[in-house]
Amino acid sequence: MTYRSIRTSLLGAALLAGLPVLIAPPVARGQSQSINGTIRGHVTDASGASIAGATITINNAALGYTRTSTTEGDGYFVMPNLPLGTYSVSISKDGFSTAHYEQIALSAGKEATLDSSLVVGSASEQIEVTATATNIDPSTLNVQRTLDSREIENLPLTSRNPYNFILFQPGVSGHPNQELGIPRTLNTNGLLDRINYQMDGMVNTQSDRIGLRLFPIGNIFVKEVQTVSNSFSPEFGWTSGNVYNVISNSGTNNFHGLFQWLRRWQDATAYPFFADKTKAKPNLQLQDFSVNAGGPAIKDKLFFFGAYEHVTRGQPAPVTITAANIAALGLPADQVAAAPGLLHGNFVMGRGDWTINKKNSLFIRYNYFKNDFPYNTQVGGLNARSTGVDFLDRAHVIGMQLTTTFNDHLLNELRFSWPFRNNSHFAGPQGGKDPAVVISGVANIGASYSGGDQYTDKVPNGSDNITYIRGAHTIKGGFNISQLINRQRLVSYNRYTFTSLANYLLAKNGTNPYAYSQFDSQQDKNGVGYASMFFGTYIQDTWRITPRITMIYGARYDRFKGPQANPNAPFVNSRSFNTPNTNFSPRLGFSYQLDDHTVLKASAGMFYQATPTNLWFNALNLDGSNRTNSFSYTITNGVVPAGAPAFPNLPSTTGVTQAQNVTTISPKFKNEYTWNATMQLSHEFSRYDTLMLGYILTNGRNLQYLHNINPINPTGQLADGRPTFSSVANASTRLDTRFNQINQVESGANTSFNALIVNYTRSLSRGIQINANYTWSHTISDAPEVNTFEQSSSIQDTTNRKRDRGNSIVNHPSAFNLTAVMQPEFSLRKGFWNTLANNNMIALLANVSSGDQQNIITNVSLNGDSSVASVTRPLFVGRNSLRSPSVYQFDGRFTRTFPKLFERISPSFILEANNLFNHTNVTGLAPVQAVIQTNNDPRGPYGTGLGITTNRSSVLEARIVQYGIAVRW
């Protein structure tokens, strides 16, 4: 590194350290990642010598956007923070002919590199140049993918859920979601659901558990989707896995819009998986109306865009209580009718873009979402309609970005957003009168035991990114800060449980009001409110050492501070929370352009994962104080405990409170992180065809794991070495006899992920564009996941975490996915046949992968540790040692576009289907092994067989067919 380079880097660092304080308001918070485009290049003469003072002029006609810059002595130029879109670029210098580029497309997460060799001539002489190397992107080291507007508008999406697009990128496997939630069992870098959800580079990640998006989005207002499966640049933070960034649509100088209507085709839709085909096919419904429009309010100056989508989706949930039991219970017909089970989702977005002046541009966006879902929970099956619970989910989001160009060398991006989401379950209009009644294997009647909960998430956040350009260096730095304001309230209920219909009738008739087996109650009147503060800052330098070698290096610091603990918590470890302060993550990478069509990239670095706030909520909520006033009475062999209520009375005082289970956090808690290393070799076979071969190595460290630190002293051990525990507790045998389990979250679990990836991209040419990738990988971990949406389990052996080392829950050794949008063009002699052959589009999605890893468990607790009683594995059986069948999911859409009306209006017909071949995709087996325990048997408890045939399940769907119309203008 030369003295000038060192000086430039240090000067840039000094500026970056000070400018955010001077420019950005202190209330900002959020994610730090550019959502704008960059054009960079190197200008030389015919001999290869750098040209100083060359003028670069770029123009985006759709936005009326123009910017100019000049090269320095080394011939380099960089123009960052450009609005996404299509540009023309001119490079001129006195004494040389002007080089002109057309159709330079900037999409999220990509940069255009235009290295131009000018020839001697007149500046008025213009030479058209075809841009090359647009797909190998030598200045970006991430493993990533961007789905453009053509794909977003035309790919099949029967779920109407754009989050499913997260699957279609290299290095990722998992399953799409049939509703508006997140895709399931996502594997990114060998970790479960580590996703940083964003919208326009701003926060859209739910804070309580890993892997949840904060608010749903409507496909009607999505312009592009940027996905990053293995990030590199220090500006990427708060995730050790994936970045999913939705770019919202905007107005241009041309008025444009779309109306679309879709409806489910019931006759062509298949029976659901595992359904009884002797009965009528369920009426799986969907109707979707959506519209958007955008254009100029003031040409070249002020633009507007608005969108609305309403989706109704679901199917009735039939009640399966037998006719004899309905008669015995005296249930009226309306109580055993199928519940509607339809969600009603509404999406609204409004956006304004304002070019304030040549140096400043601003956009402001507002989103609204509402999901009104009657009979959402505890419906169908043995549930009478009185037990059904409604669900209401709402979100309001405001976001803005101010982009400032101080001069050719100094630019700034300031972002701020404030999402607010609130959802709750509550009794519907047919809700039954308290208490809830469970008659085992017969019916659930009366009130619900699944309502009363509430979740609120407010996340004011902001970020500031400053770019300083000096010669071959592009230095960037900034910060992001978020305040996470949460309130959670758990379900409240009073519930009687009966072992038989006869016992219930005895109690109901007053013959024996104590014929129940258990009464339990939980009342959470106020919930828990708490606030956390997350902060991150970074600095990085993109240094173009030579025209063929680019180095990116820098570091990031993150701090995830939890809420205040309860200093009076009954258990000592819940009285204070440790906030780690050493989360520094260095990163280094380079790209080497072997020739004009081949690039080699390599990178390595650390990545810290944002802490799920449920880590602290569980410690606040389950501190041993019985905050929710939970209690129960159990009647065994007819013995009625003192204070037990007579059915159907509700006791006014607490009953027999069992020893409390505590969830707490280790005083030595540390944030989890990964070490990532990648290598990629990309080659353009043509202007449109690119192949990438890559390798990813990720080692997860300090991952959270859960174990019971309060078992009763071991009394022996099983044949495989696991300790067995007594059931008799006293002061000498237990850490704290006031409590039953003390489930403590520790730091220290590890993962190892190795992956080979192949990615083929065909850019749009002759109406065809394709992206296909295959990932071969292996993921090993030594503890189940904790505080994720899909798993929060304890380790099997509290004395030895290595006993859980095995395949990870997300281990999918083979995964292939594909997106293709094809509208081939034909030139036929006869006009009719030419019209018929053209204007037909076929779009495909393919998602093929190895099955899901499954745990084999026993039907009894083998070692007496109640914290793992329901998930105990048989002797000598490793974690996740069984795999479900492979998944084959192919979705398709056919679009026929008709001749335009009034030269602007373009109508089309749509026919789409998911799971075209109706393959039965099994994702769950729930294997249980019956175990025999015989006294003095040297084999210990041994298994008798594995029963999985009747336990199959799936998060995927059988074939669904939809049709509709679309009108574009």
Side-chain angles (χ1 to χ4, degrees):
M1 182 182 289
T2 64
Y3 170 77
R4 180 185 175 189
S5 299
I6 297 173
R7 183 190 64 183
T8 301
S9 298
L10 293 175
L11 177 61
L15 283 169
L16 291 169
L19 279 171
V21 178
L22 297 175
I23 298 173
V27 297
R29 74 129 265 228
Q31 299 302 320
S32 173
Q33 179 208 341
S34 176
I35 63 169
N36 302 310
T38 296
I39 296 176
R40 65 172 69 241
H42 184 224
V43 182
T44 61
D45 60 20
S47 69
S50 299
I51 296 179
T55 300
I56 295 88
T57 303
I58 66 170
N59 180 61
N60 183 328
L63 301 176
Y65 181 89
T66 300
R67 187 192 290 183
T68 61
S69 181
T70 57
T71 60
E72 297 189 20
D74 50 16
Y76 291 105
F77 70 91
V78 181
M79 304 181 77
N81 289 18
L82 304 176
L84 303 181
T86 302
Y87 287 79
S88 62
V89 181
S90 295
I91 303 176
S92 61
K93 171 71 176 177
D94 289 342
F96 295 89
S97 297
T98 298
H100 187 74
Y101 298 81
E102 286 287 352
Q103 299 297 310
I104 305 301
L106 294 184
S107 58
K110 288 195 173 184
E111 298 185 358
T113 301
L114 305 178
D115 290 340
S116 182
S117 178
L118 302 184
V119 298
V120 175
S122 170
S124 61
E125 179 184 357
Q126 185 168 288
I127 299 176
E128 295 292 334
V129 181
T130 300
T132 59
T134 56
N135 291 320
I136 56 178
D137 201 4
S139 57
T140 302
L141 302 182
N142 313 313
V143 180
Q144 64 178 21
R145 163 100 201 278
T146 297
L147 286 83
D148 62 22
S149 298
R150 187 170 184 261
E151 293 175 289
I152 298 299
E153 286 188 6
N154 295 293
L155 287 171
L157 199 65
T158 61
S159 64
R160 307 304 302 151
N161 181 2
Y163 287 108
N164 286 333
F165 289 139
I166 199 172
L167 296 169
F168 299 97
Q169 57 178 312
V172 171
S173 63
H175 308 307
N177 193 317
Q178 61 193 24
E179 294 186 343
L180 302 181
I182 59 167
R184 300 298 173 84
T185 323
L186 284 175
N187 181 351
T188 307
N189 300 329
L191 300 168
L192 174 64
D193 296 342
R194 298 306 197 279
I195 312 296
N196 184 344
Y197 291 99
Q198 300 180 8
M199 187 168 184
D200 294 324
M202 306 170 204
V203 170
N204 186 17
T205 303
Q206 188 167 311
S207 62
D208 60 328
R209 289 163 292 172
I210 287 173
L212 289 172
R213 53 97 178 105
L214 181 55
F215 55 91
I217 52 176
N219 202 58
I220 193 63
F221 55 71
V222 176
K223 179 179 182 179
E224 294 182 354
V225 170
Q226 178 194 14
T227 60
V228 183
S229 61
N230 197 287
S231 57
F232 168 73
S233 301
E235 63 178 315
F236 290 89
W238 297 8
T239 181
S240 52
N242 207 301
V243 176
Y244 177 91
N245 185 24
V246 171
I247 310 300
S248 62
N249 218 325
S250 57
T252 67
N253 276 325
N254 299 314
F255 287 100
H256 60 278
L258 167 68
F259 168 79
Q260 186 170 268
W261 170 77
L262 292 168
R263 183 183 177 87
R264 184 67 38 82
W265 185 2
Q266 176 68 11
D267 291 340
T269 295
Y271 273 87
F273 294 148
F274 323 120
D276 183 355
K277 296 184 180 180
T278 64
K279 298 181 179 180
K281 183 167 55 177
N283 183 20
L284 183 58
Q285 303 176 46
L286 178 132
Q287 279 208 97
D288 180 85
F289 296 90
S290 56
V291 62
N292 67 35
I298 303 174
K299 186 177 181 181
D300 297 342
K301 189 79 172 178
L302 183 63
F303 308 94
F304 71 89
F305 182 85
Y308 171 77
E309 182 169 2
H310 176 81
V311 57
T312 304
R313 190 185 196 282
Q315 67 182 29
V319 175
T320 60
I321 304 172
T322 66
N325 289 334
I326 291 172
L329 292 167
L331 296 176
D334 65 337
Q335 282 295 301
V336 294
L342 288 176
L343 70 82
H344 301 265
N346 293 276
F347 305 88
V348 179
M349 190 191 85
R351 171 169 165 161
D353 291 75
W354 180 25
T355 302
I356 302 171
N357 51 44
K358 290 184 178 181
K359 291 189 175 183
N360 296 279
S361 61
L362 172 75
F363 84 71
I364 298 177
R365 166 180 49 78
Y366 170 74
N367 296 83
Y368 171 74
F369 167 75
K370 179 181 179 182
N371 179 16
D372 187 357
F373 197 158
Y375 295 100
N376 171 261
T377 305
Q378 204 177 330
V379 295
L382 296 179
N383 295 291
R385 288 186 69 158
S386 66
T387 69
V389 171
D390 293 358
F391 177 65
L392 183 61
D393 188 5
R394 289 174 295 176
H396 299 269
V397 186
I398 188 168
M400 59 81 67
Q401 173 182 273
L402 175 65
T403 303
T404 301
T405 303
F406 296 102
N407 53 50
D408 287 353
H409 302 286
L410 190 61
L411 306 96
N412 189 74
E413 301 167 282
L414 173 66
R415 299 193 194 106
F416 173 80
S417 75
W418 189 314
F420 167 79
R421 184 184 179 201
N422 178 62
N423 59 63
S424 60
H425 291 90
F426 51 91
Q430 282 191 294
K433 184 180 179 181
D434 224 6
V437 176
V438 175
I439 309 171
S440 300
V442 176
N444 301 325
I445 59 176
S448 171
Y449 52 82
S450 303
D453 64 314
Q454 184 178 28
Y455 176 79
T456 301
D457 204 344
K458 292 186 287 186
V459 195
N461 67 93
S463 65
D464 192 81
N465 305 286
I466 300 175
T467 303
Y468 174 68
I469 302 165
R470 183 63 182 270
H473 293 269
T474 303
I475 303 169
K476 188 174 183 179
F479 71 92
N480 50 296
I481 184 170
S482 296
Q483 186 179 24
L484 293 75
I485 306 169
N486 300 101
R487 174 165 289 278
Q488 294 192 57
R489 189 178 68 208
L490 303 183
V491 297
S492 295
Y493 59 87
N494 294 290
R495 178 173 58 195
Y496 282 93
T497 300
F498 295 86
T499 58
S500 68
L501 176 59
N503 285 341
Y504 167 70
L505 295 175
L506 287 173
K508 179 185 178 184
N509 298 332
T511 305
N512 181 4
Y514 299 99
Y516 59 88
S517 60
Q518 183 169 305
F519 172 83
D520 53 299
S521 175
Q522 176 173 289
Q523 303 298 320
D524 188 358
K525 301 298 184 183
N526 300 313
V528 174
Y530 56 100
S532 313
M533 183 71 73
F534 290 4
F535 173 79
T537 186
Y538 73 94
I539 184 169
Q540 67 185 45
D541 180 17
T542 302
W543 178 19
R544 201 160 183 200
I545 301 173
T546 73
R548 294 194 178 276
I549 301 176
T550 301
M551 179 177 289
I552 303 177
Y553 60 97
R556 183 178 181 88
Y557 172 75
D558 293 298
R559 187 171 188 266
F560 310 117
K561 186 180 187 304
Q564 292 294 320
N566 177 9
N568 301 313
F571 187 66
V572 60
N573 287 358
S574 295
R575 295 172 188 166
S576 63
F577 301 141
N578 179 45
T579 299
N581 295 313
T582 57
N583 302 334
F584 288 96
S585 46
R587 302 179 194 176
L588 172 67
F590 75 91
S591 71
Y592 174 53
Q593 197 163 347
L594 282 70
D595 56 42
D596 290 343
H597 303 285
T598 308
V599 170
L600 175 67
K601 304 177 184 180
S603 62
M606 291 178 65
F607 298 81
Y608 278 89
Q609 174 67 45
T611 305
T613 57
N614 260 13
L615 173 76
W616 301 300
F617 166 74
N618 289 334
L620 292 168
N621 181 53
L622 300 172
D623 62 1
S625 63
N626 195 23
R627 185 193 66 81
T628 58
N629 190 26
S630 299
F631 63 92
S632 65
Y633 292 96
T634 301
I635 298 177
T636 305
N637 297 325
V639 178
V640 180
F647 179 82
N649 296 330
L650 303 178
S652 58
T653 58
T654 61
V656 179
T657 302
Q658 305 290 335
Q660 294 292 297
N661 289 336
V662 171
T663 297
T664 190
I665 308 169
S666 170
K668 299 179 180 179
F669 176 81
K670 298 180 181 179
N671 294 126
E672 66 181 42
Y673 68 91
T674 60
W675 274 106
N676 288 10
T678 66
M679 183 171 289
Q680 306 171 60
L681 180 65
S682 300
H683 179 72
E684 275 193 333
F685 291 95
S686 73
R687 182 182 177 187
Y688 304 104
D689 299 281
T690 305
L691 183 69
M692 186 270 280
L693 304 177
Y695 169 71
I696 298 174
L697 168 66
T698 300
N699 288 317
R701 297 292 181 263
N702 283 341
L703 305 186
Q704 297 178 27
Y705 69 94
L706 187 68
H707 73 141
N708 179 14
I709 63 172
N710 200 40
I712 302 170
N713 280 355
T715 59
Q717 65 180 28
L718 299 173
D720 62 359
R722 276 180 287 175
T724 57
F725 300 98
S726 171
S727 60
V728 179
N730 57 59
S732 64
T733 63
R734 203 162 217 178
L735 175 67
D736 194 327
T737 55
R738 295 176 299 167
F739 310 113
N740 182 20
Q741 304 166 23
I742 300 178
N743 297 306
Q744 181 161 288
V745 178
E746 306 276 2
S747 303
N750 303 307
T751 64
S752 176
F753 175 73
N754 288 270
L756 295 175
I757 55 178
V758 180
N759 190 89
Y760 167 71
T761 302
R762 178 168 180 80
S763 300
L764 179 61
S765 174
R766 298 182 180 272
I768 297 175
Q769 66 184 114
I770 298 173
N771 184 279
N773 56 76
Y774 171 77
T775 302
W776 177 89
S777 65
H778 189 205
T779 307
I780 295 176
S781 63
D782 59 12
E785 296 279 6
V786 178
N787 286 324
T788 72
F789 172 69
E790 298 187 72
Q791 189 178 70
S792 191
S793 300
S794 182
I795 61 175
Q796 286 281 298
D797 183 352
T798 59
T799 65
N800 185 358
R801 191 181 75 249
K802 293 182 179 179
R803 206 174 300 282
D804 277 273
R805 182 173 174 79
N807 292 319
S808 170
I809 187 177
V810 293
N811 183 45
H812 302 121
S814 293
F816 170 81
N817 62 67
L818 171 143
T819 64
V821 181
M822 300 171 289
Q823 187 173 357
E825 301 170 359
F826 301 94
S827 297
L828 304 180
R829 292 184 179 181
K830 294 186 177 181
F832 171 79
W833 296 109
N834 191 66
T835 301
L836 188 64
N838 287 290
N839 302 311
N840 298 299
M841 176 182 288
I842 295 175
L844 296 174
L845 290 175
N847 181 222
V848 180
S849 70
S850 306
D852 291 37
Q853 299 286 171
Q854 310 280 316
N855 251 333
I856 300 174
I857 63 174
T858 64
N859 60 339
V860 296
S861 175
L862 298 183
N863 67 346
D865 183 355
S866 57
S867 67
V868 295
S870 62
V871 292
T872 302
R873 297 195 302 270
L875 295 178
F876 303 104
V877 173
R879 186 166 59 92
N880 296 324
S881 56
L882 190 67
R883 185 186 302 282
S884 62
S886 297
V887 168
Y888 300 90
Q889 179 88 13
F890 294 89
D891 304 343
R893 173 185 274 202
F894 169 74
T895 304
R896 170 66 185 180
T897 301
F898 300 98
K900 289 185 177 180
L901 305 174
F902 310 107
E903 298 183 353
R904 284 190 56 86
I905 301 174
S906 180
S908 58
F909 168 76
I910 297 169
L911 180 67
E912 70 176 358
N914 80 317
N915 199 355
L916 283 165
F917 304 110
N918 200 31
H919 183 267
T920 303
N921 290 312
V922 178
T923 60
L925 296 176
V928 177
Q929 185 176 61
V931 169
I932 294 177
Q933 292 177 296
T934 305
N935 291 336
N936 302 320
D937 191 323
R939 295 173 296 179
Y942 61 92
T944 61
L946 189 62
I948 63 173
T949 305
T950 61
N951 294 327
R952 296 180 304 162
S953 62
S954 182
V955 298
L956 301 174
E957 292 179 308
R959 183 181 61 246
I960 292 174
V961 183
Q962 298 173 176
Y963 62 89
I965 59 172
V967 180
R968 291 178 173 83
W969 64 88

